[in-house]
Amino acid sequence: MTGERILIVDDEADIALILKLQLEDSGYRTVRARDGVEALEALSGEPFDLILLDIRMPRMDGIEVLERIRREHPDLVVVMMTAHGSEDIAVEAMKKGAADYISKPFSSDDMKKRVERAIHYNRTRIENERLQRELDEERRKMEAILRGMADMLVAVDRQGAVISLNRAAETILGASVDAARAVPVEELLAADIPAERLPSRVVLATGEPCLDVAYTLHAAGRAIPVLASAAPLVGAGGEMLGSVEIIRDISALKALEQEREDFVSMLSHDLKTPITAIVGSVDLVREERLGKVTGEQRSYLDSAIESCTEMVEMINTLLDVHRFEAGRMALAVRDEALEPLLGGVLARFEPVAQREGLTLRLSLPPEKVIVAVDRNKFARLMGNLLSNAIKFTDEGGEIEVHAAIVEGGAARRLVPPAFRPAADFPAPGRSLLISVRDTGVGIPADALVTIFDRFVQAKNRRQGKVSGSGLGLAFCRKVVDAHHGCIWAESEIGAGSTFRFLLPLDDGAPPAA
C-alpha cells in the first residue's frame, strides 16, 4: 500500500483512533468524519479511495449515507462497520452497493485484509469498466467503418454459414443481417463459379488468404461483375473462427474496359484508314504521276510520308501494348541466330545515325548465340531502344549495342531490386544480356522506374530532337515480359543512359502469349 486515502466515518472516537493508527501503520492516509453529514461534506471536498462507514450514527445513519454515495460517487468503494449480531443489516447494505463489511469488535489483520481486498476489487472494477468502454467505442467505430464501406463484406463461421453483413452487402444482395444469418454463404452469394471456389470457402478449406477472385454475382435481378478476396477470421487464441470476404463491384471498371476496347477499335480503323489514304495520295504526287516535282517539293513530300509512318507506328505500338495487356498478343517464337538478328536492326538505323552525326557500334559474343524470340517483336523492341538513343544523343555522340552471355546467379545480381519481376528470377541456366548505351542527356534517377509505364516520359527527355508518345518503352517492357525476361535502365544526367534487358537462353520455358 502506498498512500491510498481512506475516510473513516464513526461517531466513536476510540474506534476511529484505533482504525486510524492501524491503517496509517500499513501506509494508508486517513481522514475521520464523526457522522454521515461530515462524511458527505468531506467527500465533496477531496477524493478518497475507500470509506469505512459505520452503520449506526447520529443525524444520518450509514445506510442513508451509503445510498447518497452510490448516487453521487458511484466509483467510490464502501466497507460497512457494524456491531456483532447486526450482520443482517450489513448484508442489506451490501445489496445496496457496499463492497464488504466488518463486524465489531474486529481484528487488525482481518480489517486490513478486507480494506486491501476492497480497494483492489474496486480498482479492478474501474479498470474493467474503462476497458469495456474502450472496447464498446472501438466496436462502434468498426461497425461504422464496415457499414460505411462501399465494398460488400460477408463474414461466415467455420461451417460457412453467414454471421454478419455490412450495409453495402445488405443493399446489393437484398438481404438483411437477420435474414441472412446462418444461411450457407453459397446461397447468399449466387455466383457463376462453384461454391468451393468462393474465396470465403477457399479460406475455410486452406486456412490461407484467398485474393483477387473474379466472378459474376447474381443479385436483385442483375449480373454484377465482382472482384473478391477473403481472409481467415481468427480468435484470441489463434484458432480460426471463420472467414471474411470483401467483394468489390467492378461494373464501372468493366465499363471502362469496354470504352478502352471501343477506343482501340476506333484507333485501328478511324485513324489508320485516313492516314493510309494520305500516304497513297502523297505517293502519287511524289512519283510524279500528277506532274513534275521539284527537289524542294520532294523533300516536303518525304517529310509528310515520314510523319505518317511515325503516326502509324505510334498507333501500332498502342494497339500492341493493349493486346499484351489483354493477353491477346500471339508470339511467333523461333530459334534465331543473334548476329544477323541484331545486325539487321542496326543496318536499318545506320543511315539515320550517320545523318545525325552519331557513331553506331555493335559488340557481340565470340561464340554463336541462338535465342528463342519472336523476330518481329524483337526487332521492334531494339528499334524503339535505338530510336530513343538517337533522339536524345547530340551530334558527335556514340551509341553502342552490346550483347553478352551471363549465368543465372550473375544475371540476378545485375538487375536492380526495383526491376526484378519475381523472387525466382532469372530461371536457372544462361541468359542473354543486351545493352543499348548512349552518350545523350541522361534520365533523372526518380524517373528510371516510371519511364516503362504507358504515356510516361522523363521531363528532360521531352525536350529531345523529336517528342515521343511515351509508349515505346512500355511496348519494350511488354515484349521482354512476354519472353520471361527483365528490362531496366541505368543513367546519369549529362552522361548518357544504358538500357539493358535479359532473355533466358536455355530455361526450357516457352514465352507467354
Side-chain angles (χ1 to χ4, degrees):
M1 276 58 71
T2 54
E4 287 90 346
R5 290 173 56 79
I6 297 177
L7 178 61
I8 301 170
V9 187
D10 199 317
D11 59 331
E12 298 183 49
D14 52 345
I15 294 178
L17 179 60
I18 293 171
L19 288 169
K20 174 182 177 67
L21 293 174
Q22 291 177 343
L23 291 171
E24 290 183 353
D25 185 58
S26 297
Y28 295 103
R29 292 178 295 160
T30 65
V31 173
R32 183 204 171 192
R34 287 173 295 184
D35 56 34
V37 175
E38 285 190 13
L40 294 173
E41 290 176 355
L43 289 175
S44 64
E46 52 186 322
F48 291 91
D49 297 289
L50 179 138
I51 297 180
L52 284 172
L53 180 60
D54 191 21
I55 291 180
R56 299 189 181 279
M57 295 182 297
R59 295 206 290 176
M60 183 182 293
D61 66 27
I63 297 298
E64 187 178 353
V65 175
L66 175 64
E67 292 174 346
R68 289 277 300 273
I69 289 173
R70 291 274 63 84
R71 290 196 304 269
E72 299 172 12
H73 307 279
D75 290 337
L76 190 58
V77 62
V78 179
V79 174
M80 306 301 294
M81 295 185 294
T82 182
H84 183 69
S86 302
E87 287 82 358
D88 55 337
I89 301 176
V91 170
E92 185 65 26
M94 291 182 67
K95 292 179 181 180
K96 294 181 179 292
D100 204 346
Y101 72 92
I102 301 170
S103 296
K104 300 176 184 179
F106 48 79
S107 71
S108 174
D109 289 341
D110 180 63
M111 180 271 296
K112 286 189 284 189
K113 284 181 181 178
R114 290 175 183 267
V115 166
E116 181 180 350
R117 185 171 61 199
I119 290 176
H120 176 73
Y121 163 79
N122 197 51
R123 283 181 175 169
T124 302
R125 179 184 62 80
I126 292 172
E127 178 65 11
N128 287 342
E129 289 177 354
R130 183 187 66 81
L131 292 174
Q132 186 62 49
R133 287 193 299 270
E134 291 182 359
L135 182 62
D136 291 342
E137 183 179 351
E138 291 301 318
R139 184 182 291 112
R140 285 192 295 272
K141 287 180 183 178
M142 184 58 65
E143 289 175 353
I145 291 171
L146 295 179
R147 295 192 71 81
M149 284 174 56
D151 296 338
M152 292 175 274
L153 179 144
V154 179
V156 301
D157 62 17
R158 197 67 184 82
Q159 287 70 46
V162 176
I163 56 178
S164 183
L165 304 175
N166 70 342
R167 181 177 296 168
E170 288 181 308
T171 301
I172 295 173
L173 300 176
S176 67
V177 175
D178 292 337
R181 190 171 287 120
V183 172
V185 65
E186 58 271 20
E187 292 184 15
L188 178 69
L189 302 177
D192 65 343
I193 58 175
E196 62 271 15
R197 287 182 53 200
L198 285 173
S200 52
R201 283 289 186 186
V202 173
V203 170
L204 295 177
T206 65
E208 299 293 330
C210 178
L211 306 177
D212 298 335
V213 176
Y215 59 86
T216 300
L217 183 64
H218 298 279
R222 293 194 301 146
I224 307 170
V226 299
L227 188 66
S229 298
L233 186 62
V234 180
E239 74 282 7
M240 188 167 72
L241 304 178
S243 66
V244 178
E245 183 169 341
I246 303 295
I247 307 166
R248 174 163 295 179
D249 183 347
I250 57 172
S251 301
L253 291 178
K254 289 292 185 180
L256 286 174
E257 285 182 9
Q258 186 58 51
E259 288 183 12
R260 187 172 68 169
E261 292 281 351
D262 296 341
F263 176 69
V264 170
S265 298
M266 181 272 292
L267 279 179
S268 78
H269 181 270
D270 294 356
L271 289 183
K272 289 179 71 174
T273 299
I275 291 174
T276 302
I278 293 170
V279 171
S281 300
V282 173
D283 275 339
L284 285 175
V285 177
R286 191 170 59 168
E287 293 169 3
E288 298 187 343
R289 296 186 182 184
L290 302 179
K292 291 290 182 181
V293 176
T294 66
E296 183 179 5
Q297 290 171 333
R298 185 173 298 279
S299 67
Y300 282 116
L301 293 172
D302 288 343
S303 294
I305 291 291
E306 206 171 294
S307 296
C308 288
T309 302
E310 288 179 0
M311 179 64 74
V312 171
E313 181 66 22
M314 186 186 304
I315 294 171
N316 287 338
T317 299
L318 179 58
L319 292 173
D320 284 345
V321 168
H322 172 72
R323 292 189 187 104
F324 273 119
E325 291 177 343
R328 295 203 302 267
M329 176 59 77
L331 299 183
V333 178
R334 293 191 298 270
D335 287 343
E336 301 282 354
L338 181 64
E339 182 174 357
L341 191 63
L342 286 177
V345 176
L346 265 69
R348 284 190 5 241
F349 282 88
E350 187 65 43
V352 182
Q354 290 179 357
R355 188 167 64 244
E356 298 290 340
L358 304 174
T359 302
L360 188 58
R361 292 195 177 94
L362 174 62
S363 174
L364 293 168
E367 70 270 29
K368 182 178 180 180
V369 178
I370 301 298
V371 59
V373 294
D374 181 309
R375 184 183 185 91
N376 178 265
K377 300 299 185 297
F378 181 87
R380 287 178 60 190
L381 158 66
M382 290 301 304
N384 282 342
L385 295 178
L386 287 170
S387 176
N388 277 349
I390 291 172
K391 285 180 186 178
F392 303 109
T393 303
D394 292 332
E395 185 177 356
E398 179 180 292
I399 299 171
E400 179 185 16
V401 177
H402 179 80
I405 306 299
V406 293
E407 296 299 327
R412 181 169 181 80
R413 289 191 294 272
L414 285 172
V415 183
F419 293 91
R420 291 175 191 164
D424 58 351
F425 176 87
R430 302 182 308 156
S431 295
L432 172 65
L433 173 66
I434 296 180
S435 306
V436 179
R437 180 186 62 83
D438 64 57
T439 57
V441 297
I443 305 170
D446 60 357
L448 288 175
V449 176
T450 59
I451 55 172
F452 291 99
D453 295 335
R454 289 181 299 162
F455 308 115
V456 173
Q457 286 184 293
K459 291 181 180 179
N460 64 330
R461 291 173 79 84
R462 296 175 195 159
Q463 302 162 2
K465 303 170 192 173
V466 182
S467 61
S469 63
L471 288 169
L473 291 178
F475 174 80
C476 291
R477 183 171 66 177
K478 297 297 181 186
V479 172
V480 174
D481 288 349
H483 286 81
H484 302 292
C486 177
I487 187 170
W488 71 97
E490 300 168 1
S491 184
E492 185 178 339
I493 294 295
S497 306
T498 301
F499 285 83
R500 306 183 193 274
F501 63 91
L502 284 164
L503 296 178
L505 285 179
D506 43 26
D507 66 341

